[in-house]
Structures are given as C-alpha cells and as structure tokens.
Amino acid sequence: MLEDALLGALAADNSIMLTGDEVSLASTFETERAAAAKLALLAAARPVLERPKRAPPTPAELSDEQRAAVDAAFTRLLSVVTGGPGTGKTTLVKAMVEQAKAAGAEVALCAPTGRAARRLEDATGHPATTIHRLVEWQPGEGPLRDASYPIECDLLVVDESSMLSLKVAAVLLDALDEDTHVVLIGDADQLPPVGAGKPFADLIESGAVPVARLTHVFRQAARSLIVQAAHAINRDEPPRTQAGEEEVRDFFFIEKPSDTDAADEIVALATERLPGHYDVDPIREVQVLAPIYRGAVGVDSLNERLRARLNPKGERCLDGPLRTGDKLIQTRNDYSTGLMNGQIVIALGEDEEGEELLVETDAGERLGVPAERTHSLRPAYAISVHKSQGCEMPVVIVPVHTSHSVLLSRNLLYTAVTRARRACVLVGQRQAVIRALGRADAFRRNSRLAGLLAVAEGPTAPGSCGSSTSRGSSA
C-alpha cells in the first residue's frame, strides 16, 4: 500500500519511529523516552529530604488529602497533586515551603508563565519564577541548566503543571539533580497543554508516583459561584447562576441565541459594562475566551471588533498590522526572543531604529522583538480557550454557541470558567452549554509516556543528572 510505503520511507529517513501500530515523530519519540527514564528514576529513588525536628505547626485547616501531599513531598522524590479551584492548592504549597525551610532545605517555586509565577509568589510569600528563567534559557541558544549544571535546590514545586508540554517538561527534568525532591501541582481536568504531549496526565495515569487528589472545596472558596460552576461542570451538571445566602454571585449566563447578537453583547460587556462595574482595565484585566477562530463569535472576528473599540488610534508599528497599545499573544515558541507559545504581552511601540517591536511581558519585563519575528504575535483581546491555560484574569467572557460544536467539551468549558477570578460571564445558548457538558473527549491526545513509565530504566537513562552532596537537614 502507498501509505505503508510512505511510512517506511519516512522511518528509513529517521523522520518518524514505527513501534507496532504506533507512529511518532523521531524527535518526540526520543523526548518521551528520555522523559520517561528520568521520571522513572525519580519515582524509584530513595528520599533524601529530612523532616524538621522542630516543624512549624501545620495549619489546622489542612484536609487529610493536603496532609498526605505534604508528607509525600518529603517521603518521595517525585509526587503529584491535582485539584480544582477552591481545593487549597496554594495553602498546600505554603505548608510544604514552611516545612522544607524549617529543615534548612533550599526551596524553588516555578510555573510555566510569568503571570502564574507572580501569582504563586504573591500567594505563598516565597520567590517564584518561570520555568524558562529557572533553567536559565538563553534566547537563540537554549537552557544553561542541564545534567552537568543542575538547578540548585532541594525541593522544587512546579505549579500549573498540567500546562507542561512534553518538550518543556523534558527540559526541566534534564535540569534536575537526581536527588532533588519534585512536586508537580496542577489540575488534571483542564485541557491538555498547548504543545505536544500531556506529561502531567500521563504521570497520573501511570500510577508510578503518589497522587494527592484534592476534592474538598473549602468553605470560603465555596461561596464563589465560579468555583461551584467549575465543579458542577466536572460532574456534568449545568452550572448555577443564582446565588444563595452568603454566596458571591460572580458567575453569569446571558442568553443570546443568535451569534451576531452574542457578539454584540460580548463587545459591549468587554469594552464598557464589565470594566465599569468591576473597575478594571478592559485591555489588561478583561479577557474574552472563544472555543474557535471562525464565525461571528470566534477569536478573529471578536479581536477585530474589540480592537476597534479599545485601541482605535494605536500607532502602527514597523509598517505592519500591530499597533502601539495592542494586547498580543505569542502563537508559537520563539527561542530567539524568549517568548513562549500562549504568552501575552502589550505592545509599547517600536524602538528608535525602527527595527524592533518593544513589548511588556506578563512578568513586567520589557523585550525587543525583531521585525522579522513579529509574525508570531497576534491580537489577544480575544484568544482561544486552549491558549488561555495558566492565564488567570479578573474578568472572563466566554461565548458558548452551537456553531462551536466541533470543539465544545466539558474540559474546554471547565478550563474557560476556571480562568476567571472575579467574574465569569457565558454568552450564548443553553443548548451549547448542555452539549459541552455531555462531551468529555473532544481533545483526546495520544501519548506513549504513561506506558513507557512502566518499563523505563531510570538509571540508564540518557541525560541523567549528577548527584549533589548536600541536602536539607533537621533544624
């Protein structure tokens, strides 16, 4: 058959790998193999981080699930925590950090995006950084940190780990010392990452490491209808929009059967009504999340309309389509500039020479993007739900319409709702919400990592890291 001949030719050229009835890109195959080997090494290794003799008091409000997760951070080199909004992941990280610091251990906190890292630092009071900064990524070159120059810490906590693509996870794993304790924290119910692979979900599926599943929603968080809506969606139940006594009405649904009427409503909400009601910046603090790009309530059309309202007089930059003041999103990893897929920036204008676009990142950094690299930056007044992972905003607006049926799913709706902190507004058709709730597999993704974890031989893994001579001790 022609198909078999083509696959055979690609395999002979080392472009792909054929294993039984599975077909992989050769680069993905090797990355999965190396990641599985390092994960297996960590999963099987003996713990070296000691509990402090004089441990700080554990918060009384910790649930049994949280206490088990804190214990696993010390008793296993590699552990996983998964939980939805309001289940106390941040409180858990604070407890881990306090226990480790009391033992004299060096703690590092990181997250995939600058916004998530800043949120983690604010919530815990402990310095946090992006993964790319942690591995000392050099634009155009790659990470300085690797097996020969590993990250110097005793306990590494990685927040928003469900966002990790296979490549980012592999870079981080390769930069770990072989006796560094690692805790991966995320939400397994969100969409898979923007890049290839789903290492967080695969690690949970493999059963190779202890997994703390946080299910208890704490009372204060349970007052939020956003939190309640997220958990209702996971149970395949229509989310509630009417608040009871002592509840906070921060989740809304506006019925608009027509996609054009829904688009008009979204533009009015995003540019005037919600910014005015919540006293927020309509560009930096309001985000429209759409399932697809096409159509009246798709990303492209909404971006055009929102930009016309929010930045109509922005000066053109570099003789291209981008304007000063534009909210932009990076649409692919660009290792020469250091901007990663899904990263949101604000255009500040062009440099004095007219050769670079100056942007402000979500971490507050200023970067210069050469004119020839700006093709990967697109308007971000509206972005896809998939691109929004790790990006929390005070106010989120989500069109839900049957014209999006091809991508509507439970985890897409769940991911969109959980991006909101102060208010979430769904605009569209109840029928579309019901359709999304009844579909859980719209984003099925094939991966070999979970299976490889069962057979990987960690100690012989390529790229294994050297050991460190000092670790946290009792205090």
Side-chain angles (χ1 to χ4, degrees):
M1 293 177 60
L2 178 60
E3 179 180 317
D4 293 335
L6 289 173
L7 289 175
L10 288 171
D13 191 39
N14 294 322
S15 298
I16 64 172
M17 295 293 293
L18 301 175
T19 52
D21 60 352
E22 297 175 344
V23 181
S24 307
L25 289 173
S27 58
T28 301
F29 182 91
E30 290 301 323
T31 303
E32 280 186 323
R33 188 169 67 87
K38 185 59 178 285
L39 288 168
L41 174 70
L42 293 171
R46 292 175 179 268
V48 297
L49 189 59
E50 299 178 9
R51 297 293 289 265
K53 290 180 179 178
R54 296 179 182 177
T58 302
E61 67 271 16
L62 285 189
S63 66
D64 291 342
E65 302 157 339
Q66 290 173 310
R67 293 177 188 275
V70 174
D71 288 340
F74 286 87
T75 59
R76 298 290 293 268
L77 242 68
L78 178 62
S79 59
V80 172
V81 179
T82 179
T87 56
K89 295 192 292 292
T90 300
T91 301
L92 171 61
V93 175
K94 290 177 68 175
M96 286 180 180
V97 170
E98 289 170 1
Q99 294 277 331
K101 289 173 69 175
E106 184 71 26
V107 180
L109 305 182
C110 68
T113 67
R115 191 182 300 271
R118 190 163 61 248
R119 188 172 66 244
L120 181 62
E121 180 171 327
D122 291 344
T124 63
H126 187 83
T129 186
T130 63
I131 292 173
H132 283 79
R133 177 171 289 182
L134 185 67
V135 300
E136 300 182 28
W137 192 281
Q138 304 299 303
E141 298 180 20
L144 293 181
R145 297 282 182 174
D146 58 16
S148 62
Y149 179 46
I151 298 166
E152 297 165 0
C153 69
D154 306 313
L155 172 64
L156 175 65
V157 180
V158 187
D159 198 18
E160 296 282 3
S161 293
S162 44
M163 282 184 63
L164 297 181
S165 66
L166 175 64
K167 183 169 184 177
V168 173
V171 167
L172 182 61
L173 287 168
D174 190 50
L176 291 176
D177 207 342
E178 63 184 18
D179 54 1
T180 295
H181 285 235
V182 183
V183 182
L184 302 177
I185 299 179
D187 187 347
D189 293 315
Q190 289 189 21
L191 290 169
V194 174
K198 50 183 179 68
F200 185 74
D202 285 338
L203 191 55
I204 293 174
E205 180 187 342
S206 72
V209 298
V211 177
R213 301 178 186 273
L214 306 184
T215 58
H216 174 71
V217 180
F218 288 87
R219 182 177 178 180
Q220 184 174 358
R223 296 178 61 236
S224 165
L225 290 191
I226 291 175
V227 172
Q228 292 194 30
H231 290 281
I233 290 166
N234 263 347
R235 296 191 300 268
D236 192 15
E237 298 173 4
R240 196 162 50 85
T241 57
Q242 295 301 316
E245 289 187 21
E246 298 186 358
E247 291 181 332
V248 178
R249 192 180 183 214
D250 50 12
F251 178 77
F252 308 87
F253 177 83
I254 300 176
E255 181 85 32
K256 292 291 178 181
S258 161
D259 60 352
T260 54
D261 288 345
D264 290 343
E265 184 75 10
I266 289 168
V267 171
L269 286 168
T271 61
E272 297 177 5
R273 288 158 53 189
L274 292 177
H277 182 78
Y278 289 99
D279 191 24
V280 294
D281 185 326
I283 294 179
R284 294 176 181 263
E285 298 180 289
V286 177
Q287 186 63 62
V288 176
L289 304 178
I292 66 173
Y293 284 84
R294 298 186 302 275
V297 284
V299 170
D300 293 337
S301 177
L302 288 172
N303 255 326
E304 185 176 341
R305 295 187 61 181
L306 290 168
R307 187 199 213 186
R309 293 284 292 274
L310 295 173
N311 190 27
K313 298 180 181 180
E315 185 177 351
R316 286 182 62 192
C317 299
L318 305 175
D319 294 324
L322 305 182
R323 304 175 185 171
T324 299
D326 268 345
K327 181 181 184 179
L328 305 171
I329 187 168
Q330 179 73 16
T331 58
R332 64 183 62 185
N333 290 337
D334 188 337
Y335 297 105
S336 67
T337 63
L339 292 176
M340 297 295 108
N341 193 355
Q343 189 169 356
I344 291 178
V345 300
I346 300 294
L348 303 176
E350 58 184 60
D351 67 350
E352 294 182 358
E353 291 76 23
E355 297 177 351
E356 291 186 334
L357 177 69
L358 303 178
V359 300
E360 181 183 328
T361 72
D362 55 2
E365 298 175 306
R366 293 194 173 195
L367 297 176
V369 181
E372 65 272 15
R373 312 299 299 179
T374 59
H375 61 276
S376 296
L377 288 168
R378 302 288 175 84
Y381 304 94
I383 63 175
S384 71
V385 177
H386 216 126
K387 295 279 191 186
S388 73
Q389 295 178 83
C391 168
E392 283 192 3
M393 288 284 182
V395 178
V396 168
I397 307 166
V398 187
V400 280
H401 196 271
T402 52
S403 61
H404 298 164
S405 292
V406 66
L407 288 182
L408 284 177
S409 69
R410 190 184 311 157
N411 53 351
L412 180 139
L413 189 58
Y414 174 85
T415 300
V417 169
T418 55
R419 299 307 88 206
R421 290 202 306 270
R422 292 182 58 188
C424 179
V425 184
L426 306 188
V427 181
Q429 304 163 313
R430 294 189 185 277
Q431 178 187 355
V433 175
I434 298 302
R435 188 170 298 183
L437 293 176
R439 190 179 184 198
D441 61 349
F443 292 90
R444 182 178 177 182
R445 181 174 292 186
N446 294 322
S447 169
R448 300 166 53 250
L449 188 58
L452 287 172
L453 278 170
V455 297
E457 298 180 1
T460 62
S464 295
C465 299
S467 62
S468 174
T469 58
S470 63
R471 279 293 176 258
S473 59
S474 301

